[in-house]
Amino acid sequence: MRLTVSAHDDTRKLIVLAVDDEPKGLDELVHCLRNSPHVALVYPAIDASEALRLLSADDPRLADRKARGLPIVDAVFADIDMPGLSGMEMSRVFAALRPSPALVFVTGHAEEAVNAFDLGALDYVLKPYQQDRLDRAITRVRDKLAANAAPKYGPEGGLGQVKNDDEVIPVELAGTTKLIPRSSVRWVEAQGDYARLFTTDGSHLVRIPLAQLEERWEKAGFVRIHRSFLVSLPLITELRMGQGGYQVVIGNEEKVLPVSRRHTRALKDRLVGANRST
């Protein structure tokens, strides 16, 4: 396996794996990754089999990372469609590692964004590669690493406290796929077979039932408060009695949402338990 050392080599910067079965595409991907001032080392692989051999590679840098409890690489930038073992199948192997590297998929097919979301990809980059777009993906990797290293307190002084590995949700709008970080979602409202995600910069409709998001996001700190609402627990700043029953206040914008009777006890238990863990 060829090892590419960035001109910005620094042990505090990222070690990444680049996988693309097209030699020209691999060279372009490696070139863009090397151009980032935040990337120290790039391991290129022409297919998934070569990439997986990295797991047993006799490389002192990787052995040192294992000894320190770090992911074998910080991030894997992988094409989805490859002969033999696909990028999706390969990613499941890396995702099973503890700790696991961040996954960033690269492909020429926008319709595969949903599959990337299902595998918990941190980002999704379309070909042909653009430096600024890959730079944004690298920023997301760095932000995730920083978040994992920081104390896991809820933002905005909320009552809850959770551990959170971020993921992105692909949203289709006028032929464009927009990636919404789960960490930016404040609450979700059911709208039939769809769900509307309310984020820091607006709302987005996705074709995912609220019950499915409830199950998927429970460990990320989202809690069902009503048949129509799913809320990020750390953003709840107040639980109060209002007309008709309990209500929660979300964040600094004083958004008020209803709490149904059937969900009140479970919500109180979650809030009390979160406070005791702080």
Side-chain angles (χ1 to χ4, degrees):
M1 177 178 292
R2 298 168 292 157
L3 174 62
T4 304
V5 182
S6 168
H8 313 287
D9 199 356
D10 186 317
T11 56
R12 293 169 299 174
K13 297 177 182 178
L14 302 180
I15 295 179
V16 302
L17 172 65
V19 191
D20 194 328
D21 65 298
E22 299 178 356
K24 182 179 178 181
L26 180 59
D27 288 343
E28 291 175 352
L29 177 58
V30 169
H31 175 75
C32 289
L33 292 172
R34 290 184 63 197
N35 277 344
S36 170
H38 304 297
V39 173
L41 298 176
V42 181
Y43 285 86
I46 198 64
D47 57 28
S49 296
E50 184 179 3
L52 292 175
R53 281 196 290 271
L54 176 67
L55 295 174
S56 57
D58 186 18
D59 187 314
R61 282 163 291 217
L62 301 183
D64 178 65
R65 290 176 64 85
K66 291 181 181 179
R68 290 188 290 148
L70 298 174
I72 190 167
V73 291
D74 294 304
V76 178
F77 288 74
D79 192 5
I80 291 179
D81 293 318
M82 294 186 292
L85 195 67
S86 72
M88 290 287 187
E89 293 166 330
M90 178 194 69
S91 70
R92 290 187 176 95
V93 177
F94 282 104
L97 298 176
R98 291 294 180 269
S100 61
L103 296 175
V104 178
F105 285 117
V106 294
T107 182
H109 307 288
E111 64 272 14
E112 291 180 330
V114 174
N115 292 331
F117 166 60
D118 286 340
L119 284 178
L122 185 63
D123 207 344
Y124 182 89
V125 179
L126 289 176
K127 298 179 180 180
Y129 302 116
Q130 301 292 329
Q131 185 68 54
D132 61 341
R133 182 63 185 87
L134 278 167
D135 285 345
R136 292 201 301 273
I138 291 168
T139 296
R140 283 187 170 177
V141 172
R142 297 178 70 235
D143 288 346
K144 178 183 179 182
L145 293 176
N148 289 346
K152 303 302 189 290
Y153 295 105
E156 301 186 21
L159 299 177
Q161 180 186 34
V162 296
K163 293 184 177 180
N164 184 26
D165 292 323
D166 208 0
E167 63 179 60
V168 294
I169 304 95
V171 175
E172 299 291 337
L173 181 63
T176 299
T177 301
K178 184 175 182 180
L179 296 171
I180 308 298
R182 185 183 60 200
S183 58
S184 71
V185 178
R186 310 174 75 71
W187 73 90
V188 186
E189 182 177 358
Q191 295 188 358
D193 292 334
Y194 291 76
R196 183 167 293 278
L197 312 178
F198 289 84
T199 69
T200 51
D201 60 357
S203 68
H204 310 274
L205 193 65
V206 294
R207 192 168 185 174
I208 304 174
L210 191 67
Q212 183 177 336
L213 287 179
E214 177 187 8
E215 180 180 356
R216 180 179 293 179
W217 290 1
E218 180 182 7
K219 293 182 179 179
F222 281 79
V223 59
R224 190 76 168 262
I225 63 168
H226 189 277
R227 66 180 181 181
S228 297
F229 294 104
L230 185 68
V231 175
S232 177
L233 188 68
L235 298 185
I236 297 177
T237 55
E238 186 178 337
L239 174 65
R240 67 192 185 193
M241 177 62 74
Q243 292 183 350
Y246 278 97
Q247 302 170 331
V248 293
V249 180
I250 308 298
N252 295 328
E253 75 274 25
E254 295 292 315
K255 175 65 180 180
V256 178
L257 296 175
V259 180
S260 65
R261 287 185 179 180
R262 63 172 296 195
H263 291 99
T264 298
R265 171 51 56 190
L267 176 61
K268 286 182 177 180
D269 290 345
R270 290 286 297 275
L271 291 174
V272 171
N275 268 342
R276 285 176 177 170
S277 67
T278 59

